[in-house]
């Protein structure tokens, strides 16, 4: 038991993460134990709570993640921050991320059927096209220039890709940007009221949905986005989209998903689809908006890796895996113990919150020699950035394809990219986020 609990506040204080992720401090804790108890004190940016077990080592993280019966995603949902009320918990439990088998298994199977290999191949082709278009837009007809890597390069890639998955009008994609910001803005006020979407260019569906947009309170804060009324406009949009795709199916993943009728698994209901839409709009968006700049920071700090990728594009898969490990865009997920159990030498009680630290596991010296080094030839590299077990990320292949496409395009088109100011980090203990990364670039002759 670590006695000085005040010294552990950095683990959950969102403000602390604006200085960068606590990789070294996690290393010292991991040396002492596989799992530690952390009290949760009320802080200016944190409501406090009953406390949680933090799982620090790779092997124990995998054990928790694969044992859904003992460590439930449903009972207390999957966020470090407890749901604000029983109603809020009931609301998030409708998303597959926060379900246990058998409900989870059924929905996951339907979704995996929709992401069949034909759909993935088609999406990957579009991803390469998007990467070229993004870099073209940055370069224009200049030979050198400056930009914000996050806003000008990273942010659009996942939006374009999600628009393809949903088969929605491309101009509506900025709605997803604003929705994800609303969710993130709950911890970081810089993102709270985002208005990237231009109503004049949106579809009829977008205009109808936006009529239900929640309004900020007198201090400019939006209602809790993890409650239904905090995301009324997203739900309306998802509802209209489902109706549209059932009436007039395209060859996108969502049309396939909604058209499925299977004797075993039944059909996706409109309500289930609405909840999936929420999950995708945030999970498939924010993770990459942070993961792509995280990868760029790795290359900026390790110019030899940039050079190696430029010389040999075949290295890309290994480079991307190492970026995902080194940066770890999603730092943790939560489970709740379903019964009393002995685990890693500790007595865990039924109902205890158990938080798996991907960030710590990805630097575990037992698995990764010299973990702080960014080693593009690391083999094997069993990082946990996409989770493990029954909830393993459904978008992992697409996320990898987006990162490969963008970094191959960058190294192909640019001779060099260098930082011109330090990155600004997100105020979040969940997403390892980058708010801005100013860079100077020079095109390859
Ligand atoms: C670098 C990018 C990404 C990272 C780091 C990431 C990370 C994760 C992690 C750690 C989980 C497991 C959650 C748990 O165990 O409770 C997860 C689940 C999930 N991810 Fe991702 N993700 C990324 C991109 C995407 C994309 C692009 C999509 C969609 C296109 C997506 C959709 C999902 C969904 C639907 C789940 C829930 C799966 C389930 O509950 O069975 N993710 N992701």
């Amino acid at each position: 038991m670590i006695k000085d609990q005040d010294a552990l506040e950095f683990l959950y204080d969102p403000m602390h993460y604006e200085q960068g992720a606590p990789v070294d401090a996690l290393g010292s804790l991991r040396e002492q134990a596989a799992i530690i108890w952390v009290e949760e004190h009320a802080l200016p940016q944190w409501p406090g709570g009953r406390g949680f077990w933090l799982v620090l080592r790779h092997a124990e993280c995998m054990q928790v993640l694969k044992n859904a019966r003992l460590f439930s995603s449903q009972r207390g949902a999957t966020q470090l921050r407890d749901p604000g009320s029983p109603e809020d918990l009931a609301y998030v439990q409708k998303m597959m991320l926060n379900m246990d088998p058998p409900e989870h298994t059924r929905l996951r199977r339907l979704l995996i059927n929709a992401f069949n290999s034909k759909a993935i191949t088609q999406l990957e082709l579009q991803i390469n096209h998007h990467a070229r278009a993004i870099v073209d837009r940055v370069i224009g007809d200049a030979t050198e220039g400056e930009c914000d890597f996050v806003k000008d390069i990273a942010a659009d890639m996942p939006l374009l890709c999600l628009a393809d998955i949903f088969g929605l009008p491309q101009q509506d994609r900025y709605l997803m940007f604003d929705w994800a910001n609303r969710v993130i803005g709950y911890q970081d006020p810089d993102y709270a009221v985002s208005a990237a979407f231009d109503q004049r260019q949106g579809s009829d569906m977008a205009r109808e949905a936006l009529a239900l947009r929640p309004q900020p309170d007198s201090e400019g804060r939006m209602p809790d986005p993890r409650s239904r009324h905090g995301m009324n406009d997203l739900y309306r949009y998802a509802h209209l989209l489902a109706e549209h795709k059932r009436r007039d199916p395209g060859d996108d993943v969502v049309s396939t998903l909604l058209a499925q009728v299977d004797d075993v698994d039944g059909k996706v209901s409109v309500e289930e689809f609405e909840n999936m839409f929420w999950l995708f709009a945030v999970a498939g968006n924010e993770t990459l908006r942070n993961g792509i700049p995280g990868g760029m920071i790795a290359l900026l700090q390790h110019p030899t890796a940039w050079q190696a990728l430029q010389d040999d594009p075949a290295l890309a898969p290994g480079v991307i895996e190492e970026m995902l490990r080194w940066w770890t865009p999603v730092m943790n997920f939560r489970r709740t113990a379903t019964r009393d159990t002995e685990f890693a030498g500790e007595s865990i009680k039924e109902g205890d919150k158990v938080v798996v630290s991907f960030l710590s596991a990805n630097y575990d010296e037992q698995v990764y020699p010299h973990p702080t080094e960014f080693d593009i030839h690391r083999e094997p590299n069993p990082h946990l950035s996409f989770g493990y077990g029954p909830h393993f990320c459904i978008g992992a292949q697409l996320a990898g394809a987006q990162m490969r496409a963008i970094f191959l395009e960058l190294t192909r088109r640019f001779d060099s990219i260098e930082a011109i100011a330090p990155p600004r980090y997100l105020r979040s203990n969940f997403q390892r986020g980058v708010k801005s990364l100013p860079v100077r670039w020079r095109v390859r002759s």
Side-chain angles (χ1 to χ4, degrees):
M1 177 71 131
I2 294 184
K3 291 218 172 58
D4 183 4
Q5 286 284 333
D6 289 350
L8 296 183
E9 285 174 356
F10 74 90
L11 288 168
Y12 53 92
D13 181 0
M15 309 267 280
H16 188 87
Y17 289 77
E18 289 178 312
Q19 319 304 319
V23 171
D24 294 341
L26 283 169
S28 314
L29 294 172
R30 191 172 54 244
E31 239 175 65
Q32 298 170 49
I35 151 170
I36 57 168
W37 176 253
V38 183
E39 288 174 7
E40 240 176 304
H41 303 160
L43 301 172
Q45 296 294 322
W46 193 251
R50 287 178 46 199
F52 57 91
W53 295 102
L54 185 67
V55 189
L56 294 160
R57 293 191 189 150
H58 194 275
E60 283 75 7
C61 286
M62 284 172 74
Q63 282 172 31
V64 171
L65 292 169
K66 80 173 173 208
N67 193 342
R69 203 177 284 209
L70 182 55
F71 297 109
S72 161
S73 291
Q74 189 146 2
R75 271 185 71 154
T78 49
Q79 296 286 296
L80 171 54
R81 186 186 175 117
D82 292 317
S85 67
E87 295 75 46
D88 290 353
L89 175 60
Y91 159 76
V92 294
Q93 281 170 333
K94 293 183 177 150
M95 282 166 213
M96 64 186 292
L97 182 70
N98 304 313
M99 286 179 185
D100 292 333
E103 293 88 346
H104 171 256
T105 320
R106 177 184 151 265
L107 279 182
R108 190 167 166 106
R109 201 176 306 143
L110 287 164
L111 203 49
I112 283 176
N113 286 345
F115 275 104
N116 54 35
S117 54
K118 183 167 159 247
I120 299 262
T121 310
Q122 178 64 24
L123 285 167
E124 287 185 357
L125 282 175
Q126 285 161 321
I127 285 170
N128 290 332
H129 168 78
H130 295 323
R132 268 195 301 281
I134 289 170
V135 174
D136 281 347
R137 195 174 61 197
V138 169
I139 295 179
D141 44 23
T143 51
E144 54 184 58
E146 294 176 0
C147 71
D148 177 358
F149 188 89
V150 178
K151 184 161 85 45
D152 300 318
I153 296 179
D156 213 12
M157 184 56 149
L159 296 173
L160 288 160
C161 188
L162 283 170
D164 292 339
I165 292 174
F166 291 132
L168 52 82
Q170 281 290 356
Q171 70 273 25
D172 285 2
R173 70 186 188 276
Y174 294 109
L175 278 172
M176 290 184 286
F177 185 80
D178 291 343
W179 288 324
N181 279 356
R182 202 184 297 163
V183 173
I184 300 302
Y186 205 61
Q187 284 192 344
D188 192 320
D190 277 359
Y191 280 21
V193 187
S194 154
F197 176 70
D198 180 351
Q199 282 216 38
R200 287 161 308 180
Q201 292 178 8
S203 67
D204 291 347
M205 284 190 302
R207 272 191 292 279
E208 187 177 334
L210 275 186
L212 299 182
R213 185 175 195 272
Q215 293 305 311
D217 64 17
S218 54
E219 282 160 27
R221 282 187 73 89
M222 300 296 276
D224 188 342
R226 296 174 314 158
S227 67
R228 169 83 192 220
H229 73 284
M231 298 304 272
N232 269 341
D233 45 349
L234 175 146
Y235 275 88
R236 185 69 195 145
Y237 189 89
H239 190 90
L240 293 169
L241 184 66
E243 278 180 350
H244 170 64
K245 293 290 169 186
R246 283 222 161 113
R247 222 177 26 242
D248 187 11
D251 57 1
D252 48 83
V253 173
V254 164
S255 297
T256 314
L257 177 71
L258 291 169
Q260 280 185 75
V261 187
D262 175 308
D263 287 347
V264 184
D265 294 327
K267 202 172 174 167
V268 176
S269 71
V270 171
E271 193 194 11
E272 284 169 342
F273 172 71
E274 289 170 10
N275 290 315
M276 279 184 190
F277 185 84
W278 191 112
L279 183 59
F280 270 67
V282 179
N285 182 3
E286 201 46 41
T287 44
L288 280 152
R289 197 204 310 179
N290 296 321
I292 295 173
M296 190 65 229
I297 291 172
L299 295 183
L300 289 168
Q301 290 182 15
H302 303 86
T304 51
W306 167 273
Q307 188 67 54
L309 188 56
Q310 219 167 30
D311 294 347
D312 184 3
L315 293 174
V319 173
I320 302 306
E321 291 305 302
E322 181 65 348
M323 284 174 173
L324 285 161
R325 181 196 72 85
W326 191 83
W327 188 253
T328 314
V330 177
M331 293 181 282
N332 55 64
F333 264 112
R334 172 240 178 107
R335 300 291 188 260
T336 304
T338 56
R339 57 176 164 80
D340 293 358
T341 184
E342 291 295 311
F343 182 74
E346 299 286 356
S347 299
I348 295 183
K349 297 270 168 265
E350 179 186 351
D352 277 0
K353 170 153 80 167
V354 179
V355 176
V356 172
S357 174
F358 300 129
L359 183 63
S360 174
N362 280 346
Y363 280 78
D364 188 341
E365 299 74 2
Q366 300 295 323
V367 180
Y368 304 103
H370 312 292
T372 52
E373 277 174 23
F374 180 73
D375 174 3
I376 59 173
H377 300 290
R378 201 179 279 283
E379 180 66 39
N381 190 349
H383 66 74
L384 297 183
S385 293
F386 291 123
Y388 181 73
H391 288 274
F392 182 79
C393 177
I394 285 193
Q397 196 177 334
L398 281 178
Q402 290 179 59
M403 291 183 69
R404 270 196 311 281
I406 200 82
F407 283 106
L408 281 174
E409 192 64 19
L410 292 172
T411 45
R412 192 171 72 82
R413 306 280 295 279
F414 293 119
D415 182 42
S416 64
I417 298 184
E418 60 191 80
I420 48 176
R424 282 173 60 237
Y425 298 121
L426 186 67
R427 184 187 298 178
S428 167
N429 54 25
F430 172 54
Q431 295 260 351
R432 189 170 178 190
V434 190
K435 290 203 286 199
S436 68
L437 177 59
V439 294
R440 179 178 303 122
W441 48 263
R442 211 176 44 240
V443 295
R444 249 174 129 166
S445 43

